[in-house]
PDB file of all heavy atoms in Angstrom:
ATOM      1  N   ASP A 305      76.008 117.769  89.444  1.00 93.00           N
ATOM      2  CA  ASP A 305      76.582 117.885  90.782  1.00 93.00           C
ATOM      3  C   ASP A 305      76.933 119.341  91.029  1.00 93.00           C
ATOM      4  O   ASP A 305      77.368 120.041  90.120  1.00 93.00           O
ATOM      5  CB  ASP A 305      77.868 117.053  90.896  1.00 93.00           C
ATOM      6  CG  ASP A 305      77.569 115.562  90.910  1.00 93.00           C
ATOM      7  OD1 ASP A 305      76.655 115.159  91.641  1.00 93.00           O
ATOM      8  OD2 ASP A 305      78.249 114.816  90.177  1.00 93.00           O
ATOM      9  N   LEU A 306      76.728 119.757  92.268  1.00 93.00           N
ATOM     10  CA  LEU A 306      77.126 121.106  92.664  1.00 93.00           C
ATOM     11  C   LEU A 306      78.059 120.942  93.855  1.00 93.00           C
ATOM     12  O   LEU A 306      77.756 120.218  94.795  1.00 93.00           O
ATOM     13  CB  LEU A 306      75.880 121.922  93.053  1.00 93.00           C
ATOM     14  CG  LEU A 306      76.121 123.299  93.673  1.00 93.00           C
ATOM     15  CD1 LEU A 306      76.654 124.272  92.644  1.00 93.00           C
ATOM     16  CD2 LEU A 306      74.817 123.840  94.274  1.00 93.00           C
ATOM     17  N   TRP A 307      79.215 121.617  93.768  1.00 91.00           N
ATOM     18  CA  TRP A 307      80.203 121.471  94.830  1.00 91.00           C
ATOM     19  C   TRP A 307      80.173 122.675  95.739  1.00 91.00           C
ATOM     20  O   TRP A 307      79.683 123.737  95.374  1.00 91.00           O
ATOM     21  CB  TRP A 307      81.599 121.271  94.222  1.00 91.00           C
ATOM     22  CG  TRP A 307      81.624 120.137  93.254  1.00 91.00           C
ATOM     23  CD1 TRP A 307      81.233 120.195  91.949  1.00 91.00           C
ATOM     24  CD2 TRP A 307      81.963 118.783  93.510  1.00 91.00           C
ATOM     25  NE1 TRP A 307      81.331 118.960  91.376  1.00 91.00           N
ATOM     26  CE2 TRP A 307      81.789 118.060  92.296  1.00 91.00           C
ATOM     27  CE3 TRP A 307      82.417 118.092  94.638  1.00 91.00           C
ATOM     28  CZ2 TRP A 307      82.035 116.700  92.186  1.00 91.00           C
ATOM     29  CZ3 TRP A 307      82.681 116.737  94.523  1.00 91.00           C
ATOM     30  CH2 TRP A 307      82.489 116.050  93.315  1.00 91.00           C
ATOM     31  N   ARG A 308      80.758 122.460  96.916  1.00 91.00           N
ATOM     32  CA  ARG A 308      80.808 123.534  97.902  1.00 91.00           C
ATOM     33  C   ARG A 308      81.552 124.737  97.322  1.00 91.00           C
ATOM     34  O   ARG A 308      82.621 124.588  96.736  1.00 91.00           O
ATOM     35  CB  ARG A 308      81.545 123.025  99.154  1.00 91.00           C
ATOM     36  CG  ARG A 308      80.889 123.406 100.453  1.00 91.00           C
ATOM     37  CD  ARG A 308      81.421 122.555 101.605  1.00 91.00           C
ATOM     38  NE  ARG A 308      80.611 121.356 101.813  1.00 91.00           N
ATOM     39  CZ  ARG A 308      80.901 120.143 101.370  1.00 91.00           C
ATOM     40  NH1 ARG A 308      82.008 119.934 100.685  1.00 91.00           N
ATOM     41  NH2 ARG A 308      80.111 119.123 101.588  1.00 91.00           N
ATOM     42  N   GLY A 309      80.995 125.884  97.439  1.00 90.00           N
ATOM     43  CA  GLY A 309      81.675 127.097  96.980  1.00 90.00           C
ATOM     44  C   GLY A 309      81.673 127.293  95.480  1.00 90.00           C
ATOM     45  O   GLY A 309      82.372 128.150  94.957  1.00 90.00           O
ATOM     46  N   GLU A 310      80.876 126.491  94.792  1.00 92.00           N
ATOM     47  CA  GLU A 310      80.868 126.585  93.340  1.00 92.00           C
ATOM     48  C   GLU A 310      79.668 127.392  92.843  1.00 92.00           C
ATOM     49  O   GLU A 310      78.594 127.346  93.432  1.00 92.00           O
ATOM     50  CB  GLU A 310      80.799 125.177  92.741  1.00 92.00           C
ATOM     51  CG  GLU A 310      80.894 125.184  91.222  1.00 92.00           C
ATOM     52  CD  GLU A 310      80.783 123.782  90.636  1.00 92.00           C
ATOM     53  OE1 GLU A 310      79.956 122.990  91.138  1.00 92.00           O
ATOM     54  OE2 GLU A 310      81.509 123.496  89.684  1.00 92.00           O
ATOM     55  N   ILE A 311      79.884 128.136  91.757  1.00 93.00           N
ATOM     56  CA  ILE A 311      78.771 128.790  91.078  1.00 93.00           C
ATOM     57  C   ILE A 311      78.514 128.009  89.794  1.00 93.00           C
ATOM     58  O   ILE A 311      79.325 128.038  88.876  1.00 93.00           O
ATOM     59  CB  ILE A 311      79.082 130.265  90.753  1.00 93.00           C
ATOM     60  CG1 ILE A 311      79.434 131.021  92.036  1.00 93.00           C
ATOM     61  CG2 ILE A 311      77.894 130.911  90.052  1.00 93.00           C
ATOM     62  CD1 ILE A 311      79.952 132.427  91.792  1.00 93.00           C
ATOM     63  N   LEU A 312      77.405 127.278  89.799  1.00 94.00           N
ATOM     64  CA  LEU A 312      77.066 126.455  88.644  1.00 94.00           C
ATOM     65  C   LEU A 312      76.007 127.173  87.823  1.00 94.00           C
ATOM     66  O   LEU A 312      74.909 127.431  88.302  1.00 94.00           O
ATOM     67  CB  LEU A 312      76.536 125.097  89.120  1.00 94.00           C
ATOM     68  CG  LEU A 312      76.017 124.144  88.038  1.00 94.00           C
ATOM     69  CD1 LEU A 312      77.137 123.729  87.095  1.00 94.00           C
ATOM     70  CD2 LEU A 312      75.366 122.908  88.674  1.00 94.00           C
ATOM     71  N   GLY A 313      76.366 127.507  86.601  1.00 93.00           N
ATOM     72  CA  GLY A 313      75.414 128.212  85.744  1.00 93.00           C
ATOM     73  C   GLY A 313      74.497 127.245  85.019  1.00 93.00           C
ATOM     74  O   GLY A 313      74.913 126.156  84.642  1.00 93.00           O
TER      75      GLY A 313
END
Side-chain angles (χ1 to χ4, degrees):
Chain A
D305 289 314
L306 172 71
W307 306 82
R308 224 164 268 99
E310 184 182 40
I311 303 172
L312 175 64

